[in-house]
Amino acid sequence: MASVTTCQVLLVLFCLTLFSHAYTTKNEITKENMCSCFQGPPGTPGTPGVPGMHGYRGQDGGKGEKGYPGDIGKPGRKGDMGIDGPLGPPGDRGKRGTKGLKGDFGDKGDQGQKGECLHSSKKVAFSVTRSKMLGPVLEHTAVYFDRVLTNVGAHFDEITSHFVCKINGTYLLSVHVLGQQKRDAFAWIMLNQNHQVPVHGDSRAGYGTGSNTIILRLTQEDHVWIQLRANSALMNDYSTFSGYLLFED
């Protein structure tokens, strides 16, 4: 039998030590203890396994917390025009606009009905003046007008210097007087023998002037004339007496 070498003895002792460590507290040897004693180098990784089947759907999670507002997006494209809405209430009155251009002439209208004539179909008008000074007079005196400028209808009597009505109607009559220097010119428009309205040219003005106008309704043979009061005086053609028919009755 071959002799036992020191190396062989050491190998046996080493193996016994390993087996003693492989036993558990119950004196049983386990796979894990054995593997820890005789574990070799790592093996080559195996190929990936086949993917498993999809699992069942899990339960819905709870409602999360409110997130922060996101960034404002870009404006979208212009939408189509909608239908007309209901009519709103009237607004406030606007400012007056500028004047517009003059329009074209319209079509000629139909001829209207003949209207009533407001003026007399008969024409009566007169205007007279003096050519010489008169006064100062010592008493009330009828003023004589020797220059006849107009006498349409011949109603002014050149002899008496009275306007004599020949057509019943409404007449406008007026008188103007100019006094001599520092002399009053005080006169009246007379209807027959009745004073109607006064006319006064004040001497304090140097050459006093006065005028008056009256509208009278006259009948045939009424006389309208001018009376100069006592101590009054008139210049020449600066004093006039005029009148005309407005409309007949």
Side-chain angles (χ1 to χ4, degrees), residues 183-210:
R183 289 283 185 177
D184 281 340
F186 197 109
W188 285 87
I189 297 178
M190 304 289 292
L191 172 57
N192 300 324
Q193 298 301 317
N194 301 314
H195 296 81
Q196 299 300 304
V197 292
V199 183
H200 183 214
D202 196 333
S203 62
R204 291 175 295 182
Y207 292 92
T209 61

Side-chain angles (χ1 to χ4, degrees), residues 2 7 21 38 45 48 51 77 97 110 118 128 137 155 168 172 174 182 184 191 193 204 206 208 232 245-246:
C7 291
H21 283 289
F38 298 98
R77 66 177 185 85
D110 298 332
L118 298 179
V128 294
V137 296
H155 286 212
N168 296 343
L172 182 144
S174 63
K182 297 182 180 180
D184 281 340
L191 172 57
Q193 298 301 317
R204 291 175 295 182
S232 294
L245 174 64
L246 293 174

Side-chain angles (χ1 to χ4, degrees), residues 109-146:
D110 298 332
Q111 184 174 356
Q113 297 179 352
K114 185 176 181 179
E116 297 180 1
C117 181
L118 298 179
H119 299 282
S120 173
S121 58
K122 298 178 181 179
K123 299 179 180 180
V124 178
F126 75 97
S127 184
V128 294
T129 186
R130 289 182 53 82
S131 60
K132 300 178 181 179
M133 293 189 296
L134 175 64
V137 296
L138 301 178
E139 60 183 6
H140 299 339
T141 303
V143 179
Y144 178 74
F145 296 92
D146 60 324

Side-chain angles (χ1 to χ4, degrees), residues 38-75:
F38 298 98
Q39 185 176 3
T44 303
T47 59
V50 179
M53 299 176 64
H54 292 289
Y56 295 104
R57 179 177 177 177
Q59 297 180 352
D60 294 335
K63 184 177 180 180
E65 297 180 358
K66 183 176 181 180
Y68 296 104
D71 297 334
I72 298 176
K74 296 181 180 180

Side-chain angles (χ1 to χ4, degrees), residues 137-194:
V137 296
L138 301 178
E139 60 183 6
H140 299 339
T141 303
V143 179
Y144 178 74
F145 296 92
D146 60 324
R147 290 186 60 196
V148 178
L149 305 176
T150 304
N151 193 12
V152 177
H155 286 212
F156 181 78
D157 189 339
E158 298 182 26
I159 298 175
T160 62
S161 281
H162 288 192
F163 172 73
V164 182
C165 176
K166 297 179 182 179
I167 300 173
N168 296 343
T170 301
Y171 293 79
L172 182 144
L173 301 119
S174 63
V175 64
H176 176 81
V177 297
L178 173 65
Q180 297 177 19
Q181 188 175 19
K182 297 182 180 180
R183 289 283 185 177
D184 281 340
F186 197 109
W188 285 87
I189 297 178
M190 304 289 292
L191 172 57
N192 300 324
Q193 298 301 317
N194 301 314

